[in-house]
């Protein structure tokens, strides 16, 4: 969560991460100049779950899943971003 909020996100987390400190706006956050989309990789790990025990975890499947997710996002979920430049960082 700290990476999402502080490293690339809109907030700084407290003073040296002390419990109870408030969030403050990060004037240097990436979201000031760009839009970010994070994909969990490979699929069905971390916060994702599935009962498909036949799912194969390998580089080719992960790449195909990522391509499908980005294509679906740009075509169905957020088509307003289709005309913007796309940079893939892994």
């Amino acid at each position: 969560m700290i990476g999402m909020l502080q490293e690339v996100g809109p907030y700084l987390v407290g003073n040296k991460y002390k419990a109870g400190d408030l969030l403050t706006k990060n004037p240097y956050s990436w979201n000031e100049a760009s839009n970010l989309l994070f994909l969990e990789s490979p699929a069905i790990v971390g916060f994702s779950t599935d009962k498909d025990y036949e799912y194969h975890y390998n580089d080719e499947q992960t790449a195909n899943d990522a391509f499908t997710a980005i294509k679906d996002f740009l075509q169905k979920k957020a088509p307003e971003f289709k005309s913007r430049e796309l940079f893939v960082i892994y």
Side-chain angles (χ1 to χ4, degrees):
M1 294 298 286
I2 288 176
M4 178 188 69
L5 288 172
Q6 184 160 315
E7 292 175 9
V8 298
Y11 298 104
L12 299 172
V13 181
N15 180 17
K16 297 183 182 178
Y17 310 113
K18 290 181 184 174
D21 283 347
L22 301 176
L23 298 176
T24 56
K25 186 161 176 54
N26 178 2
Y28 307 107
S29 65
W30 287 29
N31 68 319
E32 290 291 324
S34 63
N35 301 102
L36 301 171
L37 174 66
F38 293 89
L39 297 177
E40 190 172 64
S41 180
I44 315 173
V45 298
F47 292 109
S48 300
T49 59
D50 193 348
K51 301 219 185 289
D52 181 2
Y53 299 107
E54 299 297 318
Y55 190 85
H56 297 285
Y57 297 96
N58 58 47
D59 290 343
E60 185 175 350
Q61 186 62 51
T62 300
N64 288 334
D65 289 345
F67 176 73
T68 300
I70 292 170
K71 187 169 65 170
D72 181 63
F73 178 78
L74 292 173
Q75 290 177 345
K76 299 176 184 173
K77 307 291 185 199
E80 65 271 20
F81 294 113
K82 282 172 57 171
S83 63
R84 296 187 184 184
E85 287 185 280
L86 176 66
F87 299 90
V88 177
I89 301 170
Y90 58 97

